[in-house]
Amino acid sequence: MAENTVLSNTEYKVVGTRPIRHDGTDKVTGRAKYGGDFQAAGMLYGKVLRSPHAHARIKSIDTSKALALPGVKAIITGKDMPVVQKKDASNGAKTASEKVMASAKVLYKGHAVAAVAAITSHIAESALALIDVQYEELPSATTVLEAMKDNASLLHEDMTTNELGEKTTKHSNIATHFRYELGDVEKGFAEADIIVEREFNTATVHQGYIEPQNGSAFWNADGYLTVWCSTQGAFTARDALATVLDQPVSKIKVVPMEIGGGFGGKIPIYLEPMAALLSKQTGTPVKMAMSRAEVFESTGPTSGANLRVKIGANKSGKITAAEAYLAYDAGAFPGSPVTMGAQCMFSPYSIENMKVDGYDVVANKPPAAAYRAPGAPISAFAGETLIDEIAEQLGMDPIELRLLNASKEGTQRLESSPFPIVGNVETLEAARDSVQYKTKLTGKHRGRGVATGYWFNIGMQSSAAIAVNADGTVSLVEGSTDIGGSRASIAMQAAEVLGIPAEDVRPSVVDTDSVGYTFLTGGSRTTFATGIAAHDCAQDIRTKMIQRAAQIWDVSADDVTLADGVFKHQSDPDLKFTFKELAGQLNRTGGPISSQVSVDPKGAGSAFATHVVDVEVDTDTGKVKILNYTAAQDVGKAIHPSYVEGQIQGAVVQGIGWALNEEYRFNTNGAMENSSFLDYRMPTSLDLPMISTIIVEVANPGHPYGVRGVGEVPIVPPMAAIANAIYHAVGVRMNELPMSPATVLEALWAKDGEPANLQAAD
Amino acid sequence: MAENTVLSNTEYKVVGTRPIRHDGTDKVTGRAKYGGDFQAAGMLYGKVLRSPHAHARIKSIDTSKALALPGVKAIITGKDMPVVQKKDASNGAKTASEKVMASAKVLYKGHAVAAVAAITSHIAESALALIDVQYEELPSATTVLEAMKDNASLLHEDMTTNELGEKTTKHSNIATHFRYELGDVEKGFAEADIIVEREFNTATVHQGYIEPQNGSAFWNADGYLTVWCSTQGAFTARDALATVLDQPVSKIKVVPMEIGGGFGGKIPIYLEPMAALLSKQTGTPVKMAMSRAEVFESTGPTSGANLRVKIGANKSGKITAAEAYLAYDAGAFPGSPVTMGAQCMFSPYSIENMKVDGYDVVANKPPAAAYRAPGAPISAFAGETLIDEIAEQLGMDPIELRLLNASKEGTQRLESSPFPIVGNVETLEAARDSVQYKTKLTGKHRGRGVATGYWFNIGMQSSAAIAVNADGTVSLVEGSTDIGGSRASIAMQAAEVLGIPAEDVRPSVVDTDSVGYTFLTGGSRTTFATGIAAHDCAQDIRTKMIQRAAQIWDVSADDVTLADGVFKHQSDPDLKFTFKELAGQLNRTGGPISSQVSVDPKGAGSAFATHVVDVEVDTDTGKVKILNYTAAQDVGKAIHPSYVEGQIQGAVVQGIGWALNEEYRFNTNGAMENSSFLDYRMPTSLDLPMISTIIVEVANPGHPYGVRGVGEVPIVPPMAAIANAIYHAVGVRMNELPMSPATVLEALWAKDGEPANLQAAD
């Protein structure tokens, strides 16, 4: 039943086609250079000593025995961090530094306390065991509920809650409390005929990228630092390194290696500053890489959360009010994505009265990092479950209820201006009209669930450079690291402007010294913003080539056009050049043609997704099987539909894992118990059906081809859609993630009673 | 007595200062990455089997035994070259291919016949001995005189002489005969009161760069080839590889590694195509590097030559006519620099009647490559010796004679338009007024020589890109490989435009995929042409930043200026930003600022140099000692005077080596006998005095700061200046290079008779 559908209403020559990606051969043959491939003469290997405690004061660190181990070249501790040594460091810099390495307190198991550089990685690892750290252990909290208790042990003793914009004097683990409001929720609930209110909890989950973090560094004697790493943003990594190392950005060159997945988790820096400082001490390049356990325990997963949501509607199905309480844990330092969760959760709906209270709460876990549409899947799990419940209570089709309330151009939303042109309605209609939704689901313990997701998408700064080659191809230089096929999707936009095939654009992702500033690959911005940079740069190349043709022909440039890869004079049919012919003449008719353009586009278009999932629940084991899955999404314009489909399918798979299995399991000491891929269960292809995609194209007016970001919104609906499907299969409303076999079974037993044979066994 | 003088009449903030070069630390600490540092996983090592014969037909090549050697992965021979296998290859491509590897005939000892890739370089070397090549030996000629004999063995049986523009049917080793004429030489000689006519011979000499050629390659399964090499021009190497490998340029990426000297000799490709083909066969990166003997025997030295020159002057010293016969050997394939020798030799003089006949002659030597002002030092050696002889005969000071006849703006010259503004007269005057020239030289067997040199310099295509960093610095990307400090000299021109220190411009030399087309580093073009690209790009950045400041202030850009690194509003003193302040605001006021510019400037300014040398001749041994040396030169504008002085001093040292010691010595079988630095004697610092330089600045109107190329012209005068000094020391006119102890002694004996004690020993 699986199908990939593209509902397109625009036609281009290159945009919308499916050429082979430029980096495909490198990737499938193993020739692409990842951080693990970094080599340098005389290179040292760095390893990190990490806290065994979830919360403790560092009383002393004795590195003398480790330093005496033959082959050990340098050891640093948190006190060696430049920001710690700087008297007037900003609070932001201090936090950034402590995230990299603890100087006084460890705030989670896995928090870095020392790093060793040695001539082999084995010696470095041996040296770790010789470092004597004396700790004073403190009570810890690994969930938001524990951390918010009045008597909770404080991670940051001097932290006071920012209570609705005002600094209070109350010391707690709550970093921020904010409120977003629209209309009058009391009035709205008063107008409601039905009101549903529920509480939800979600577990901490990890992005689970296949390539562990790595970072190699060489701090040259002239003060210039070069860092090779796996990062979503070479320039943002440079910015972060500049802060943590107290250096101007131009003293740092970040060379982005290929990246084996990021999903937001490869935005922060972890090993890079340690490798840099070890290199500075030794005068030698230092290479570092994490184990999988380090990735789980010491890089940023996304938040666990506690949520309470209340939605009211009148009998006709019109939602009259919505209210939410969102408490997200941020891990050890403030900065959970709760604001984004708050902004996104009710955005699929036109609701006159809304209120969201958000809490950013620190807990003894690795600091939360971005994870695909950060914050939105958590709040959507709660909100979309309630929408389903309202539809059920009103006896309405869940998509029809959504269509009735769907946000559209002009709809007011929280903390933002009214919606511009969006494709929410079109996406809902596409899901409604899909083969899966129109096919009746039959069978015991089977159910269908629907959910809608929203992500705002971002713009930000991007740069691209193009140079014309004599053989009629062009070289394209970009600063965006390519995680999901963006070399292709950006090159195709340049090709479209120039009227040449995608294969004739040769994209290169270069280091921070070699192109203009480019914000990170994330926020679903790359194909949009770097695409605009490439488009605008190609326009400049096009203009210059038209001028050159005009100069060669001794005519006015106004009379020369470029269409279908051919430069023509408007009235003289003898005057024409193919792109290749003109390219071959550039060097002898005035010189080469090249250009570079930087942009900061503001017109990122919002994205909506509606997913339909069919599940079957094994009521004996609680195991949920995904039978069918259809994901409809407004992508604005799919530059390369295959990679858009891949983004959607990949996000759905991550959502299924988040929904059914993934969670950080902590023991009572706050230590993660399942920090391996054997115990942290992510879905494999054997667990899944083929996922059908429906690409809906409602062009974003803020992009020349109508592009909207596509990578994040498809992870927003799956958890709620699956929870709703489980309800329709077996009649239990799930309010906890993951909906693992144990959790589902408990819910079934709570509804139907524990089976007699198991009661006897109790 | 040594001094470095700068005669400057323009003042800039950055241009003309002497900052530390950006790549200095990397170079002195050994961290700079040369081709020898290339490493790749699973890399193979390539070695080349070379002809032991100077001239032979290849009857057969049996590689079976070598291929059977364990560890050998691939072997190629000349027949595997794509051009050889292609039916419709152009003659140019065929010649380029045969230069890399012989397919039917070997034309010099050292001509490549096969190449092996193996898992170690030792196995590759062992395999060479197992390749069985059967040759049919042919007579050889290693000098132009031998090669031009009627019965000489023909290198290219089908080659007919191009006789004064007309193809003739005469088969010979003369590839081309051309004639440049101005006025009526017969009339000019008739007007002369004195006529001097002499014959000269010069030996083949090598550039002697410290780093041997290297080339590593990986031919990817997707058809894209990457080459890492030591080259003067990444883009020209790419062009050459495209021709030889029969590929479009965009399928090839050349990564220029640091270069340990080139002087013209690192323009051609040698190992790169072989490494590429071995990589294609094996699917693995292949690394190759030459030994010093291979560098001497198998890369391009410059021509040996036979010259006859005749100059006439009237009694007042006015030169009435000049005529020359120049026969340069090109090595095994046509293409000696005889045309350039012909264009340059009389250019320091305003002569109404001139004629030069030039012959390009093939001989059984490695094909001539460019060597610093290619062709000009050879012809200047002859011409400037005659000028000295005329001055002597007329009893005139040699500089006064030159001043009397000096070419200047408007002077007609051979094969070119009349001179634009040039600094010939100013340079002669600077030499005349130098401390050395004004100091009387005393002592036995001591003499002073003067000579003037000319080089036209070139422009050609260059590209540069600039991006502004948030900390107020800028990144500069360029395609010119940096041989003599051009990172600094190009960065300084951008810094001057932007009003920031040279250190705040961070230059990067990037690969051919990452910047617009840039012609090679040579022709004394880089600081001129790539400097213009950087200047123009900086102007664009400046314009964009002024616009941004105006936008932030909400004023007209016309009212905003940038001076001394500060943006100011013309009338409102409150409106100002330092460069750094504005740079820090770019990302949030409209986005980053970057630019790329490509140029093909036509205004390269000609360069003149006049050198004064004092020598002492040991009449017992014939050894010539350089006592004092002053080199005056019109550089237009010295961007970084230290590197200009370094260029001048380095060129003089090479000229002294060429004058006194360097030569390819061939045995009767045409094999080079002295292919090591022990036997091929280049000057060391112990052989030389400090060389005084006088930088003369007559601004070139074709460059925004007046730059003329500086690197080549200072190698033009030394040989003649030293020959003239020897004459004035011991009374013998030298007409042969090198003027080695043996040659000088023979000349002394020819003049004074062989000493009696030696006659007895005969």
Side-chain angles (χ1 to χ4, degrees), chain B residues 128 198 598 630:
Chain B
L128 296 184
R198 303 266 174 219
S598 295
T630 296

Side-chain angles (χ1 to χ4, degrees), chain B residues 359-438:
Chain B
Y359 292 85
D360 184 38
V361 183
V362 295
N364 296 110
K365 297 196 284 197
Y371 179 18
R372 218 165 186 157
I378 296 168
S379 56
F381 166 60
E384 291 296 294
T385 303
L386 260 64
I387 295 290
D388 194 72
E389 201 165 341
I390 287 169
E392 184 209 5
Q393 290 195 16
L394 293 173
M396 287 182 75
D397 174 90
I399 296 185
E400 290 305 331
L401 177 74
R402 285 175 171 85
L403 276 167
L404 179 70
N405 292 284
S407 53
K408 47 182 79 79
E409 188 178 0
T411 296
Q412 295 286 338
R413 49 183 169 159
L414 288 171
E415 294 297 298
S416 194
S417 50
F419 274 117
I421 295 169
V422 289
N424 189 18
V425 168
E426 292 81 351
T427 303
L428 284 160
E429 289 170 346
R432 179 193 64 195
D433 300 341
S434 67
V435 174
Q436 182 181 340
Y437 204 68
K438 290 200 286 196

Side-chain angles (χ1 to χ4, degrees), chain A residues 22-26 29 31 33 39-42 218 220-222 224 235 238-239 248-251 253 283-285 461-471 473-477 503 505-508 510-518 540 544 586-600 602, chain B residues 22-26 29 31 33 39-42 218 220-222 224 235 238-239 248-251 253 283-285 461-471 473-477 503 505-508 510-518 540 544 586-600 602:
Chain A
H22 301 79
D23 51 326
T25 302
D26 278 349
T29 60
R31 286 287 174 192
K33 298 281 181 202
Q39 290 292 332
F218 175 58
N220 206 353
D222 60 8
Y224 283 88
F235 284 90
R238 185 178 74 156
D239 291 340
V249 290
S250 61
K251 289 272 183 185
K253 173 162 88 172
T284 303
Q461 307 86 6
S462 279
S463 302
I466 296 177
V468 182
N469 292 315
D471 60 9
T473 65
V474 305
S475 302
L476 168 67
V477 168
E503 294 79 3
V505 179
R506 185 79 185 150
S508 296
V510 298
D511 62 58
T512 53
D513 275 2
S514 303
V515 69
Y517 189 90
T518 299
D540 190 37
K544 287 174 174 168
L586 297 180
N587 275 5
R588 55 180 182 278
T589 58
I593 285 179
S594 66
S595 178
Q596 184 167 167
V597 167
S598 295
V599 298
D600 183 12
K602 300 300 180 192
Chain B
H22 302 78
D23 51 327
T25 301
D26 278 349
T29 60
R31 287 285 172 193
K33 297 279 180 206
Q39 289 293 332
F218 174 57
N220 207 352
D222 59 8
Y224 283 88
F235 284 89
R238 184 178 75 158
D239 292 340
V249 289
S250 61
K251 289 272 182 185
K253 173 162 88 171
T284 303
Q461 306 86 5
S462 279
S463 302
I466 295 177
V468 183
N469 292 314
D471 60 8
T473 64
V474 304
S475 302
L476 168 67
V477 168
E503 295 79 3
V505 179
R506 184 81 184 145
S508 297
V510 297
D511 62 59
T512 53
D513 275 3
S514 303
V515 70
Y517 189 90
T518 299
D540 191 38
K544 287 174 175 168
L586 297 180
N587 275 4
R588 55 181 181 277
T589 57
I593 285 179
S594 66
S595 177
Q596 185 168 166
V597 167
S598 295
V599 298
D600 184 12
K602 300 301 180 191

